[in-house]
Amino acid sequence: MRKSLIASAAIICLVTNISLSSASDSRGKWVNVTPANVDLKNNLDCGNFGTITLVADPARPSNLYTQFHCQGIWKSTDFGQTWSGPINVGAAGAGARGAGGLAIARGPDGGPPILYSAGIRGSGRGFWKSTDGGVTWLRSTVAPGRDQGFYPANVNPHNPDHLLMTAHQRNLIVETRDGGRTWTQVPIAPEMEKAGGTAFVFFVNTGDGATTGQTFLWTSAGTGGNIGTWRTQNGGRSWTRVDGNEHPHGQMQIYQDASGAVFMAGQYSGLGHGVLRSTDFGQTWKHVGFTIEQAIVFGTPNRIYASFAWACADCDLDPNIQSAPVPGVSAWERMPRPTGMAIGAAQAAVVFDGTNYVIVTANWKAGLWRYVE
């Protein structure tokens, strides 16, 4: 496998000519970087669960974006150290104020990134797109989506206009190949259907644009392992159950390292709760790390990380962070619970600031957290 094969869409390894590393005494420590003007306490008008997504500009690793439920989009231009917002102050800006989250893709010709927002409650219900970095927004109707409630999109790493989304608490995958203007329903196997709950779907990057656009990994919300994880390599025309792994309610993130190895985290796998690793693009899996419930997995070129949480607005829940050196097959270690981190991460983004790899996470009502490796 070529070393040039991507890591995941959540990692941005570009080096700019400006290095804004944290002071050396912050390395190896989780720091709360939640902006002071964000409300993480009150329910507000759309069901405030805090923040569940954290994305980095593929062309500008210093620039990160997050969406706070009922409040809008915040942006950092210094690798996640400080944040300003809300920035969604242009036309239809209220479309990014609901209970939902973001996906990101590289903008054309060096322009601002393309931001995609999807929501399940409030004014942000449905699918929204911004081509100016989150200031103005345009809504598209998702034709197969009866109630327009969707979780954030997953973007094809080879094609910024090709997206997949899953419906909130419905057995529905939708797909667009034109950046959200039109949508079609992706067929699923009858065994993938369940009553309630929200599945997650991801592109698996095979290193080839044509096959990546047909290779999806789909994981059910927790049922005790009855439904599990399924894979298609023909765009959904047929599916194969590849493991019993399922995700905790409300969140999941997979990771691909530079070799192409795929990591997913969860619960109820027949191999045990925790982190699973695949070297054949998700066809077969091996358990790595500690046998504890996990929700997301992410990494740098140096280490693999995993964390636990679930969709709970006001929980005090140990994030159970664990980490291992690349390639992530051994030497896993439990990381101490950061002081004040009331719940683990729903999503992480990784950037390189010219000196260090920097991890920034969106932790529900625990806000934003930053870790310099």
Side-chain angles (χ1 to χ4, degrees):
M1 187 61 58
R2 303 187 310 274
K3 289 292 183 181
S4 59
L5 187 69
I6 53 98
S8 75
I11 184 168
I12 309 297
C13 292
L14 297 174
V15 180
T16 64
N17 59 3
I18 300 175
S19 176
L20 294 176
S21 298
S22 294
S24 60
D25 62 359
S26 70
R27 290 181 187 144
K29 299 178 182 179
W30 288 96
V31 178
N32 190 333
V33 292
T34 308
N37 60 333
V38 166
D39 187 340
L40 292 176
K41 296 181 180 180
N42 298 310
N43 190 50
L44 304 179
D45 61 352
C46 76
N48 180 14
F49 277 60
T51 175
I52 62 171
T53 51
L54 199 298
V55 296
D57 185 341
R60 303 166 189 83
S62 59
N63 293 0
L64 297 99
Y65 300 82
T66 191
Q67 180 172 336
F68 286 98
H69 289 185
C70 317
Q71 297 162 83
I73 309 299
W74 266 250
K75 177 182 179 181
S76 172
T77 58
D78 57 8
F79 302 96
Q81 294 183 83
T82 61
W83 295 81
S84 60
I87 64 169
N88 51 310
V89 294
R97 284 184 55 89
L102 301 175
I104 197 167
R106 184 185 294 268
D109 302 323
I114 302 167
L115 285 172
Y116 300 109
S117 176
I120 59 176
R121 287 185 300 275
S123 60
R125 194 178 195 81
F127 177 82
W128 300 78
K129 179 178 180 180
S130 173
T131 57
D132 60 3
V135 177
T136 62
W137 294 81
L138 178 67
R139 188 175 190 268
S140 297
T141 298
V142 183
R146 183 174 63 245
D147 65 0
Q148 298 297 294
F150 289 93
Y151 269 55
N154 190 248
V155 182
N156 184 334
H158 297 275
N159 180 355
D161 291 327
H162 188 190
L163 316 176
L164 297 170
M165 290 195 305
T166 50
H168 180 236
Q169 297 186 340
R170 291 181 60 209
N171 299 311
L172 175 65
I173 306 171
V174 294
E175 178 180 29
T176 179
R177 292 178 177 270
D178 57 15
R181 289 191 297 275
T182 60
W183 295 85
T184 57
Q185 183 171 342
V186 177
I188 62 174
E191 297 86 351
M192 295 164 66
E193 296 186 358
K194 64 171 299 218
T198 302
F200 279 87
V201 66
F202 304 93
F203 289 98
V204 177
N205 195 337
T206 65
D208 173 78
T211 55
T212 296
Q214 298 288 313
T215 307
F216 315 152
L217 198 67
W218 177 99
T219 301
S220 170
T223 68
N226 296 318
I227 297 179
T229 295
W230 293 68
R231 182 182 185 272
T232 180
Q233 58 186 27
N234 56 20
R237 291 189 299 277
S238 62
W239 292 86
T240 301
R241 188 179 190 270
V242 295
D243 195 85
N245 186 64
E246 296 173 338
H247 67 81
H249 174 53
Q251 67 185 102
M252 186 179 183
Q253 180 178 4
I254 68 170
Y255 173 67
Q256 276 189 267
D257 68 15
S259 74
V262 184
F263 295 81
M264 69 173 173
Q267 55 193 4
Y268 306 128
S269 168
L271 302 171
H273 295 327
V275 180
L276 305 181
R277 182 177 186 267
S278 173
T279 55
D280 56 10
F281 302 120
Q283 297 179 75
T284 60
W285 298 87
K286 292 184 178 180
H287 187 278
V288 295
F290 294 91
T291 305
I292 53 176
E293 291 181 305
Q294 301 278 254
I296 73 169
V297 60
F298 51 95
T300 75
N302 304 316
R303 299 190 69 85
I304 309 296
Y305 300 83
S307 175
F308 175 69
W310 59 284
C312 182
D314 296 297
C315 286
D316 183 2
L317 187 66
D318 192 333
N320 281 336
I321 304 171
Q322 59 174 318
S323 176
V326 169
V329 297
S330 61
W332 284 80
E333 301 172 347
R334 294 289 297 272
M335 298 179 70
R337 180 177 182 174
T339 301
M341 187 181 283
I343 194 168
Q347 190 177 56
V350 178
V351 293
F352 186 60
D353 69 3
T355 303
N356 301 296
Y357 287 96
V358 179
I359 299 165
V360 188
T361 60
N363 292 54
W364 302 94
K365 279 199 173 181
L368 302 180
W369 291 74
R370 186 174 187 269
Y371 182 89
V372 180
E373 198 172 64

